[in-house]
Amino acid sequence: MKLFPYGHATHPHWEMATDMVLAQLRAHMHNPAYADAPSLGLIYITDHFARHAQAILDHVAQALPTVQHWSGTVGVGISSNNVEYFDEPALAVMLCNIPAEQYRVFSGQAPLGQALSQGFVAQTALVHADAHTPELSELIEELAHNTQSGFVFGGLASSRTEAVQFARGGERTPPATGRGHGVYSGGLSGVAFAPEVQMQTRVTQGCKPLGEVREITEADDHVIYKLDGAPALYALMHDLDVPIDNPRSAVDKVRQTLVGLSLPHTPTLRPTGGLDDAVMVRHIIGLDPVRHGVAIAHLVEPGMHLAFCKRDAKSAKADLLRIATEIRESLEPDEVSLEAAGAKDLLNQISIAGQRIAGAIYVSCTGRGGPHFGAPSAEMQIIQRALGDVPLVGFFAAGEIAYQQVYGYTGVLTVFTSD
């Protein structure tokens, strides 16, 4: 698999920005290291261009006739390689060199179930969704259950205007002209990938635990009353080092405190410290001083585990570097001794033992990005230092999707690999 052509640009006029991206894509496609006839395009735009979404999609689709399928969405910020575009008109495009029979674009007009009923086997899926979709969590969970891995990745569109999604190529009967379609609002869309597509996904948390992990032993709806059999409010005051007889003094600290939730029988912390990948980070939305309860922005039930935590730039940097390094090291050839490497046949095996990254997608929280990491584009530069100069596009989401759920304050990094 050759490298995925990609391009990114910012300009006040969408036509100029799009043409700048197309020039970069064409330059890559003329480079022997890059794919020259990919069929799947991923497109991410900032919300400055949301009202031009249809025109942008039509323009790039007409300029790149070999690309028959498109997917993507809008964000208040987007990213590509080592750059982030926040609060400015910009777009990023990556053309994936994946055989058409190994993926399916889906949307409300072309549900994934339709492709599955026709014999397509989905291993995992890239998902874009509207945060205001009714029963969104259930829809994502159902989608994940329709894949062999039970795992999906992606994010929720973030926009101060229209929360648009791109999904073209999966329709059973597209318009005859091939224009004027492929832009949607609401629901879910994305790309499902067959088992033959080699890829890896990692989740990075941006929070630091404040205290011990506790089990929820009494709760009702969104309110936690008991942790390890003791009042939840007392546990929170203890972790924040606030006198229990003066909880009002903790208002400012509580506003900066989050909750890391894990399901029963799943880890909350990694062995090396920090939140586990599967932990859901949620806001504290209220306190009940009468019943000593803590209300959070997530339905809870007894048996779940909890750790109070806070956003921490140092921990976020270290964890992002960790997941990117894990991916890079997993693709490197196994080390062998010098004596073993003396055999010619073994040397030939070593030369093909490793894998390379053909392209990558990174979905991060709107609350992260450069400012949280200390400088503009710092988050993307951390990834580049670990992975190298690889094709990458992504966006800053109103919620990140991984496993079977929606996260917050996280980053979801996916790489497409080849031998």
Side-chain angles (χ1 to χ4, degrees):
M1 184 185 296
K2 292 188 175 183
L3 294 175
F4 295 173
Y6 71 103
H8 55 91
T10 177
H11 195 278
H13 302 289
W14 71 264
E15 297 96 332
M16 290 297 297
T18 304
D19 285 341
M20 292 164 67
V21 169
L22 287 170
Q24 297 171 52
L25 294 172
R26 293 187 179 108
H28 281 146
M29 294 166 73
H30 283 91
N31 185 329
Y34 287 81
D36 59 357
S39 62
L40 172 64
L42 301 179
I43 178 169
Y44 296 107
I45 62 174
T46 60
D47 55 359
H48 289 257
F49 282 157
R51 63 191 181 96
H52 303 297
Q54 188 70 68
I56 291 173
L57 178 58
D58 289 342
H59 187 60
V60 296
Q62 185 177 34
L64 301 168
T66 62
V67 184
Q68 297 295 314
H69 307 91
W70 293 91
S71 181
T73 191
V74 62
V76 295
I78 63 170
S79 58
S80 182
N81 200 288
N82 67 342
V83 66
E84 301 166 7
Y85 297 102
F86 266 105
D87 199 24
E88 58 183 322
L91 76 156
V93 176
M94 185 168 71
L95 307 180
C96 305
N97 185 34
I98 302 173
E101 65 271 13
Q102 295 180 9
Y103 67 85
R104 292 292 186 275
V105 174
F106 62 88
S107 64
Q109 186 173 338
L112 179 58
Q114 176 180 302
L116 298 177
S117 66
Q118 296 171 355
F120 180 76
V121 177
Q123 177 68 17
T124 185
L126 165 64
V127 183
H128 306 121
D130 189 320
H132 299 98
T133 300
E135 300 180 342
L136 177 61
S137 296
E138 290 79 1
L139 291 174
I140 292 173
E141 185 174 351
E142 179 184 357
L143 183 65
H145 286 163
N146 283 328
T147 67
Q148 287 193 334
S149 66
F151 181 104
V152 295
F153 64 96
L156 309 184
S158 62
S159 176
R160 290 159 294 192
T161 56
E162 302 174 61
V164 298
Q165 299 172 48
F166 299 99
R168 178 182 288 186
E171 306 90 341
R172 181 176 297 177
T173 56
T177 62
R179 296 172 60 87
H181 71 287
V183 176
Y184 300 90
S185 295
L188 279 66
S189 66
V191 187
F193 299 98
E196 293 83 3
V197 181
Q198 300 179 57
M199 58 203 311
Q200 293 191 34
T201 296
R202 296 284 195 283
V203 177
T204 175
Q205 304 278 10
C207 299
K208 177 183 179 181
L210 295 175
E212 61 184 289
V213 177
R214 300 178 176 88
E215 182 179 349
I216 298 175
T217 49
E218 183 180 336
D220 181 21
D221 200 15
H222 290 263
V223 184
I224 304 165
Y225 293 111
K226 295 287 182 67
L227 291 170
D228 290 342
L233 184 58
Y234 291 2
L236 174 61
M237 296 298 102
H238 177 272
D239 286 356
L240 295 182
D241 194 23
V242 173
I244 191 62
D245 58 351
N246 188 19
R248 293 186 180 276
S249 65
V251 171
D252 290 339
K253 287 188 176 181
V254 170
R255 286 173 179 167
Q256 301 173 20
T257 304
L258 301 165
V259 171
L261 286 176
S262 61
L263 299 175
H265 313 299
T266 60
T268 306
L269 302 179
R270 298 194 315 275
T272 55
L275 298 178
D276 187 79
D277 290 358
V279 170
M280 299 170 286
V281 177
R282 296 293 187 265
H283 286 281
I284 294 175
I285 58 176
L287 304 177
D288 184 348
V290 177
R291 298 186 61 183
H292 305 130
V294 178
I296 68 171
H298 194 85
L299 289 172
V300 292
E301 57 185 33
M304 299 176 73
H305 291 85
L306 172 154
F308 295 111
C309 56
K310 68 175 183 177
R311 296 182 64 198
D312 180 76
K314 183 178 179 180
S315 299
K317 290 179 183 178
D319 200 47
L320 178 58
L321 184 60
R322 173 189 66 84
I323 66 163
T325 303
E326 283 181 359
I327 290 176
R328 185 198 67 211
E329 292 180 346
S330 71
L331 303 179
E332 294 174 348
D334 294 333
E335 294 184 1
V336 296
S337 67
L338 291 176
E339 292 182 1
K344 181 179 180 181
D345 289 343
L346 184 55
L347 282 173
N348 289 335
Q349 294 176 23
I350 294 172
S351 68
I352 63 172
Q355 290 183 307
R356 67 182 297 184
I357 296 174
I361 302 170
Y362 186 58
V363 180
S364 186
C365 178
T366 55
R368 288 166 60 100
H372 184 56
F373 286 82
S377 301
E379 185 173 12
M380 303 309 301
Q381 290 167 4
I382 292 173
I383 296 176
Q384 186 190 44
R385 283 198 296 270
L387 296 184
D389 191 17
V390 300
L392 183 150
V393 296
F395 71 106
F396 291 87
E400 305 75 62
I401 298 172
Y403 297 95
Q404 301 177 6
Q405 58 203 23
V406 178
Y407 287 76
Y409 299 109
T410 62
V412 181
L413 176 62
T414 300
V415 300
F416 296 88
T417 64
S418 64
D419 294 331

